[in-house]
Amino acid sequence: MSSTLDALETRAPEAREAALMAVLPAQIAHAQQHTAAFADILRGVDADGIASRQALAALPVTRKYELLARQQALRASDVFGGFTGLGFGAAMPRVFASPGTIYEPEGARPDYWRMARALRAAGFAAGELVHNSFSYHFTPAGSMMESGARALGCTVFPGGTGQTEQQVQAIAELRPAGYAGTPSFLKLIVEKAQALGTPIASLKKALVSGEAFPPSLRDWLRQRGIEGYQCYATADLGLIAYETRAREGLVLDEAVIVEIVRPGTGEPVPEGEVGEVVVTTLNPDYPLIRFGTGDLSAVLPGHCPTGRTNTRIRGWLGRADQTTKVRGMFVHPGQIAEIARRFPQVGKARLVVSGEMASDRMELQVETLETGGGLAVQIAEVIREVTKLRGEVRMVPPGTLPNDGKVIEDVRSLQ
């Protein structure tokens, strides 16, 4: 039995890229014409000209805090902040809320969040029962998994969260083939079943998300007969990437365009370098263009051994928003990028904040081939101009700084 959902996953990479770039201009135009937010954000942009990744990279990144700010500003007239053209009714069967509070629409199309692909990669198949322990209230996680499972041809038991003993009883009596939910809650269910002496041997697979899934927990579940796979999804975008049986990174979904950019900027980084995940979704109901997730990841070279040909990413590697307060002033990753941009001799830059309260010390480490002190003096002057704070400069050879996506490293708490 094939683990792929359809032929899209194994098409030639060139064919996929051509297809994505062919529909991108129409999605840009749709966002401009049907959402007030992108009519403003993309004002003056010629949609027909956005038919390449290079052209896409020239558009502004919209980050979650900006989406929230627009929603809050328009609460009285448009709770979605102008990011969707849908209205309440049949076209929007549900609306969800994420912490903040950010409101997300759910459209009426089958498998709206595109989770069937991740479930299929995890081994789920038509005719099976899925025990869904994601939350069914406020956040969309429960609906995301249920709509994907139903599109796959599965039946769903909406277990939701909590009531561990009742969850064990339902699994024992209904005998589902697999589980969907957070990995930590699955561990609690398995431990509760062991404590109760209740067999739940029907559970053979799991698709988990919402939190870290370390190899130690993956192996712990395997020892108890459950093969767990993870996926990366957000309430704004739906599925972004998913794990396969190869367990070598996460394969990108077929309906998103993903870029990895330097934190605080919209500038794509070289392949393999850690940066912020920026996603353009092809969802016409909620057409987010260059949406900054705030998550760090990196592109893996090559293709998945399972035969899937889409790009792979390393998975979640931390948060991109590294804003910190130094001597009463906020310093942002975008400011560090602005400083580096002014000096063609400089490659990567990393601000290290150390010291103790009231005696903070900033050191900007920059990769450069230059060794003279004149460049360091010039950079120090720009640090003060951009951040309004004094900072020292240390020049290091190219390739010295870690590839971890950090633009600002705050080590004060470690001292």
Side-chain angles (χ1 to χ4, degrees):
M1 181 175 60
S2 172
S3 66
T4 58
L5 182 68
D6 53 38
L8 294 178
E9 296 179 29
T10 56
R11 58 184 161 167
E14 299 80 10
R16 175 183 296 105
E17 187 70 4
L20 290 174
M21 293 304 110
V23 299
L24 179 58
Q27 180 71 343
I28 300 290
H30 176 84
Q32 291 173 313
Q33 296 164 11
H34 294 90
T35 72
F38 282 109
D40 180 27
I41 295 169
L42 302 179
R43 190 181 306 278
V45 171
D46 176 13
D48 290 337
I50 312 300
S52 68
R53 288 183 181 267
Q54 183 178 6
L56 179 63
L59 301 182
V61 173
T62 298
R63 293 189 163 82
K64 191 179 286 282
Y65 71 87
E66 295 171 303
L67 185 151
L68 174 60
R70 284 179 178 266
Q71 285 200 0
Q72 290 176 331
L74 296 174
R75 283 285 192 247
S77 58
D78 183 353
V79 296
F80 300 108
F83 283 95
T84 179
L86 297 180
F88 295 144
M92 187 192 300
R94 296 181 185 87
V95 58
F96 294 100
S98 294
T101 300
I102 295 176
Y103 293 106
E104 295 105 0
E106 181 184 70
R109 289 175 292 106
D111 195 17
Y112 175 80
W113 310 93
R114 309 179 311 283
M115 293 303 301
R117 194 174 301 282
L119 285 159
R120 188 72 197 89
F124 289 85
E128 294 181 334
L129 175 64
V130 180
H131 187 96
N132 186 9
S133 281
F134 272 117
S135 174
Y136 271 81
H137 68 282
F138 274 82
T139 63
S143 184
M144 291 168 76
M145 285 295 180
E146 173 157 329
S147 59
R150 291 174 63 185
L152 198 59
C154 297
T155 298
V156 178
F157 177 76
T161 59
Q163 300 177 303
T164 314
E165 191 167 330
Q166 288 90 333
Q167 302 264 5
V168 170
Q169 179 182 356
I171 293 170
E173 295 177 349
L174 288 170
R175 296 184 294 280
Y179 163 97
T182 64
S184 61
F185 192 57
L186 176 57
K187 185 174 187 289
L188 289 176
I189 289 175
V190 173
E191 290 174 334
K192 176 62 73 172
Q194 292 174 336
L196 295 172
T198 303
I200 55 171
S202 68
L203 280 187
K204 300 294 185 184
K205 51 204 168 191
L207 180 62
V208 300
S209 192
E211 61 189 27
F213 185 41
S216 58
L217 180 51
R218 180 194 66 199
D219 294 342
W220 187 91
L221 291 171
R222 178 182 290 142
Q223 292 166 6
R224 287 152 183 82
I226 302 172
E227 283 289 345
Y229 296 86
Q230 60 185 315
C231 69
Y232 171 34
T234 73
D236 319 276
L237 299 159
L239 181 67
I240 299 172
Y242 57 95
E243 191 173 25
T244 73
R245 292 177 183 177
R247 298 195 183 279
E248 295 183 8
L250 305 181
V251 178
L252 296 183
D253 179 50
E254 296 293 328
V256 292
I257 299 171
V258 173
E259 303 166 89
I260 306 294
V261 309
R262 200 169 308 285
T265 78
E267 304 166 4
V269 300
E271 182 176 304
E273 187 171 322
V274 176
E276 181 183 7
V277 178
V278 169
V279 181
T280 296
T281 174
L282 302 181
N283 177 3
D285 297 335
Y286 201 34
L288 297 176
I289 309 298
R290 297 205 86 202
F291 185 73
T293 64
D295 296 324
L296 293 175
S297 193
V299 170
L300 284 173
H303 298 306
C304 182
T306 63
R308 292 173 174 85
T309 58
N310 208 343
T311 301
R312 296 175 301 165
I313 59 174
R314 287 174 56 188
W316 188 82
L317 299 176
R319 293 294 294 169
D321 185 5
Q322 300 151 27
T323 299
T324 190
K325 183 177 279 190
V326 182
R327 300 173 218 150
M329 300 283 289
F330 282 108
V331 181
H332 307 272
Q335 292 174 305
I336 307 308
E338 169 62 23
I339 294 167
R341 268 196 297 267
R342 297 197 188 184
F343 299 92
Q345 314 95 306
V346 169
K348 290 172 65 176
R350 182 188 190 101
L351 184 73
V352 178
V353 183
S354 59
E356 298 177 356
M357 189 174 296
S359 61
D360 299 323
R361 174 173 174 262
M362 295 198 321
E363 180 184 78
L364 185 65
Q365 301 172 359
V366 298
E367 291 187 350
T368 179
L369 292 171
E370 293 201 15
T371 57
L375 177 61
V377 171
Q378 295 175 41
I379 294 175
E381 291 174 352
V382 175
I383 291 174
R384 187 170 186 183
E385 176 190 338
V386 173
T387 68
K388 313 305 179 188
L389 297 164
R390 294 181 185 274
E392 301 171 17
V393 177
R394 180 156 68 97
M395 298 186 294
V396 299
T400 301
L401 299 181
N403 180 23
D404 58 7
K406 285 189 177 180
V407 175
I408 300 176
E409 183 180 12
D410 189 346
V411 299
R412 288 173 295 188
S413 60
L414 303 178
Q415 298 181 343

